[in-house]
Amino acid sequence: MSPSPPATTPALYEAWEALADGLHVQRLALYLEPLRDLIAAAPAEITLFTEATPAALTARPAPLTEPQAFAAIEGAGLSHWVDLPSTHGTNISAVNPLTATGDQVAEALLDAVTDQSIRAAIEAVSAASAWWIGTFAAIRHLGVHHTTLQPVADQVTLDTLRAATRTVALGTAIRVLQHQLRTTGGDEKVRLAYCRAITEAIVCESGLPALLEDLGELRLVDLVGTSIPWRGRFTKYAGGTGAGQVE
């Protein structure tokens, strides 16, 4: 299985993908100050509907030191994905409880891959996925439900956030592998990793609607729902209901 070569002009789904990326960044920028307040607040003052603290959920991922890996990430349009966690992540000793899930996705896909730059790139975007889910989870109680637009006040479990992390890490890995195969052709092991990632995305699709309902909140739903190829990925864009209208 190989991705189709890029067209002269971006395909519609690629334009929507870029739009989704921009909305995620915009939403982070709009809530940086409330996020900092949450991290600095005393534990008794935190009204967080998860099983972890904001500081742990936003812990800074390990830095990416491989230049060729960053080039692969940048080529896939994901430089912001790793830059912003590095810039805004909290510098604490606590481990993000979602990081292990991102690591597991990378490990499963890279089982036979020997290209060190691709390995490092997939590991980096997977770790960053845990940060993005954790960060949006930390401010979840400040958001609204994705369909009713009413304030969110219910709980979300770490298991739900782990499932969300797995989905988003899978989506970013697909983008990195797809770019690699389109630009260099890649070796057989990279092609196998891409096929494995697409297969996993197909398996995830059946459970995605339920996962989105469990997440409930608009920012998290859009982050997860636009992450992997599936039938409902860009429904809002196709129907003319812009996901950024609330902001």
Side-chain angles (χ1 to χ4, degrees):
M1 181 184 297
S2 298
S4 302
T8 304
T9 57
L12 182 58
Y13 86 90
E14 291 173 331
W16 285 339
E17 188 173 72
L19 175 59
D21 288 346
L23 284 171
H24 303 330
V25 172
Q26 178 198 51
R27 285 166 171 164
L28 174 64
L30 287 171
Y31 282 86
L32 278 176
E33 187 172 344
L35 182 63
R36 294 188 186 106
D37 291 342
L38 277 170
I39 293 169
E45 299 174 5
I46 297 175
T47 55
L48 181 63
F49 300 107
T50 67
E51 301 162 27
T53 65
L57 289 169
T58 59
R60 181 178 295 129
L64 178 62
T65 58
E66 173 59 58
Q68 289 183 314
F70 186 79
I73 293 170
E74 187 174 35
L78 289 168
S79 57
H80 68 282
W81 193 254
V82 296
D83 282 345
L84 292 173
S86 177
T87 301
H88 299 294
T90 52
N91 188 19
I92 61 172
S93 58
V95 176
N96 186 334
L98 306 177
T99 297
T101 300
D103 292 344
Q104 289 165 6
V105 171
E107 183 179 356
L109 296 180
L110 296 171
D111 182 42
V113 175
T114 56
D115 186 321
Q116 292 304 310
S117 63
I118 294 300
R119 291 188 67 89
I122 298 297
E123 289 167 355
V125 296
S126 296
S129 297
W131 184 88
W132 279 92
I133 291 293
T135 297
F136 280 15
I139 57 174
R140 177 179 180 271
H141 62 290
L142 302 176
V144 297
H145 191 273
H146 70 110
T147 57
T148 67
L149 302 187
Q150 295 301 307
V152 174
D154 60 334
Q155 294 186 0
V156 62
T157 67
L158 273 179
D159 283 344
T160 297
L161 296 179
R162 289 186 180 106
T165 299
R166 182 177 184 276
T167 304
V168 175
L170 190 59
T172 55
I174 287 173
R175 288 175 64 172
V176 171
L177 292 166
Q178 187 176 66
H179 172 73
Q180 179 73 5
L181 292 175
R182 282 179 170 176
T183 54
T184 70
D187 59 28
E188 192 61 33
K189 294 175 181 177
V190 173
R191 288 177 178 273
L192 180 60
Y194 176 75
C195 292
R196 188 179 292 121
I198 292 295
T199 301
E200 286 300 314
I202 294 170
V203 172
C204 284
E205 180 167 357
S206 63
L208 202 47
L211 173 59
L212 298 182
E213 285 306 311
D214 288 342
L215 292 169
E217 194 271 329
L218 178 65
R219 286 181 294 263
L220 277 168
V221 166
D222 283 350
L223 183 65
V224 176
T226 59
S227 62
I228 62 171
W230 71 293
R231 285 167 291 180
R233 188 179 189 187
F234 297 122
T235 301
K236 289 183 179 179
Y237 302 162
T241 55
Q245 287 179 350
V246 173
E247 287 82 9

